[in-house]
Amino acid sequence: MTDASARPRPEEFASGRPVVFRNATVITVDSQGVLENADVLIDGDTITGVGPKLEVPEGTLEIDASGGIVMPGMIDTHRHMWQTALRGYGGDWALSQYFVFYYLTWGEVFRPEDIYAGNLLSALESIDQGVTTTLDWSHALRTPEYGEAALQAFREIPGRFVLAYGNYLGAPWEWANSPEFRKFVTDHFNAPDDMLGLQLAFDVPASDEFPEADAFRAARELDLRVTTHAGVWGATTDQSISSMYDGGWMTDKVTYVHAASLGPESYQKIAATGGTVSVSTESEQSAGQGYPSTWEIRKYGIPASLSMDTSVWWSADFFSAMRATLSAFRSRDHLEAQSKGDTVNVNRLRAEDVVWQATMGGATTLGMTDRLGSLTVGKKADVVLIKNDESPAMTPILNPYAHVVYQAGTADVHTVVVNGKVVKYDGKRIDLPLAPVRDKVAASVEHVRSSLGEQAWDEWMHPQIPEDEQIANPYQYTEDE
């Protein structure tokens, strides 16, 4: 173990000196696979070396990674970041209650500063937990002023973000073609930027009409990717997919979020057009969009990435996302086999597969496989060290992929590097205090709470739950017995 006096001091990481992780178990997520007792060298914003006993430039800062796992930064491809300010508020909601609360009842009380506060907290949480790239499925941007508030949060947190611009209170075929939105795009996205991207976020409800074609047309004119909630039970169905396909709008620049309740033809259309699926397993298991689609889309060869959806229900813990996704797939395999009187003897989905989905799968969904998703020389230096010398769960490390998925947790995120900048070291964020963020979130919560009023606030947090029907039990003892 490195002498404490030889460890880099947090302030040294601002010097621009190269950084090397030494003696780690390295999960490269490329053709090298797992390397034992290996190093990862970062110079500027780029990975410049991966392998054992690397020679490094003079003056390189060395991080002792022995007893730890170095892996690519994780990538969340669908998170409603603005809703983080109401963390856990809807923990007992059904999906319909979520829709009614935001879409039909209280969506209009949220101000630009509420978007800013939620995004700021979510962005800070992302990098703190080793999620170096997050797609913000920002569907409350009623005007460009709201979009600017979302962007302001990203400018204050040194992570990598994609703003998926949406407005659930407006018609996408209208706002995506408005002069105000076009000016927003020109003002803020007039040059390529690896740290901040833009997509369009809108849904295609099941309908005989298809006005969303004009929103797809806008995306094509602006050369933007589209992310859309598909296969959400009772809302976006196979008919939605047919509308998109028949119109010629399904391409490799479209991401289908959830895709949990579609038929074979829809999955074939997604596969044939090069689409990807963002799987939010905890959301699908709890909210009812359908069974998590990883099990189904595997048959069609559709690439999957992972996402956490919204912290108004669930956490932003990506270890939980990997664990839930692997467990849901295996659970479905067992149920399918047992329904036929069979037994699963070999697990088809491995821990390695969900680590890929959390990293390279995310890069695939974002169209950034040339820059992100693996520890490959020449790629951007988004790197995470999982190491906790005081955690019993971090020793021994025998199967690195399984260790990341089933043993490690957010408390074990030791060091986080985004675009070559060390933003967290030895378990502590560098110059990123929580207190000012917490104060902004508290003010946002107070505004929303006062807008609802105490009665509505409490009723929405604690929805009435119907009583379970009790089944008569013929095996209870009677007094005579």
Side-chain angles (χ1 to χ4, degrees), residues 230-232 257-262 267 284 289-293:
V232 175
V257 178
H258 303 306
S261 52
L262 298 173
Y267 291 122
E284 290 131 18
Q289 293 93 338
Y291 198 87
S293 59

Side-chain angles (χ1 to χ4, degrees), residues 237-252:
T237 67
D238 292 308
Q239 185 178 5
S240 307
I241 296 295
S242 293
S243 296
M244 288 184 256
Y245 183 81
D246 293 343
W249 302 112
M250 293 179 71
T251 70
D252 60 358

Side-chain angles (χ1 to χ4, degrees), residues 210-394:
F210 183 45
E212 294 82 9
D214 283 339
F216 279 103
R217 188 171 291 108
R220 191 164 291 180
E221 291 172 0
L222 296 168
D223 193 26
L224 297 177
R225 303 178 73 89
V226 171
T227 175
T228 184
H229 293 101
V232 175
W233 178 260
T236 52
T237 67
D238 292 308
Q239 185 178 5
S240 307
I241 296 295
S242 293
S243 296
M244 288 184 256
Y245 183 81
D246 293 343
W249 302 112
M250 293 179 71
T251 70
D252 60 358
K253 290 187 175 182
V254 180
T255 299
Y256 305 88
V257 178
H258 303 306
S261 52
L262 298 173
E265 287 190 4
S266 291
Y267 291 122
Q268 289 170 341
K269 290 170 183 175
I270 294 172
T273 55
T276 61
V277 169
S278 178
V279 180
S280 303
T281 303
E282 287 190 339
S283 175
E284 290 131 18
Q285 287 179 319
S286 179
Q289 293 93 338
Y291 198 87
S293 59
T294 315
W295 189 86
E296 193 70 35
I297 65 176
R298 185 179 174 93
K299 303 176 187 177
Y300 302 93
I302 301 171
S305 59
L306 304 184
S307 57
M308 291 307 302
D309 204 343
T310 171
S311 291
V312 78
W313 257 305
W314 308 284
S315 74
D317 179 352
F318 232 56
F319 297 94
S320 179
M322 289 186 282
R323 188 173 300 133
T325 300
L326 188 57
S327 297
F329 186 100
R330 291 176 175 177
S331 177
R332 180 71 179 270
D333 256 359
H334 288 300
L335 287 171
E336 295 288 333
Q338 291 168 11
S339 69
K340 302 171 186 175
D342 294 332
T343 298
V344 172
N345 293 311
V346 177
N347 283 321
R348 297 185 302 131
L349 195 72
R350 303 295 180 93
E352 178 179 356
D353 298 320
V354 293
V355 171
W356 185 93
Q357 291 166 356
T359 53
M360 274 301 293
T364 301
T365 287
L366 298 181
M368 301 178 74
T369 55
D370 59 330
R371 286 159 282 172
L372 306 179
S374 66
L375 299 182
T376 304
V377 171
K379 284 195 174 185
K380 295 293 183 178
D382 290 6
V383 183
V384 174
L385 168 60
I386 301 170
K387 174 182 165 77
N388 187 341
D389 294 336
E390 294 302 317
S391 171
M394 285 303 296

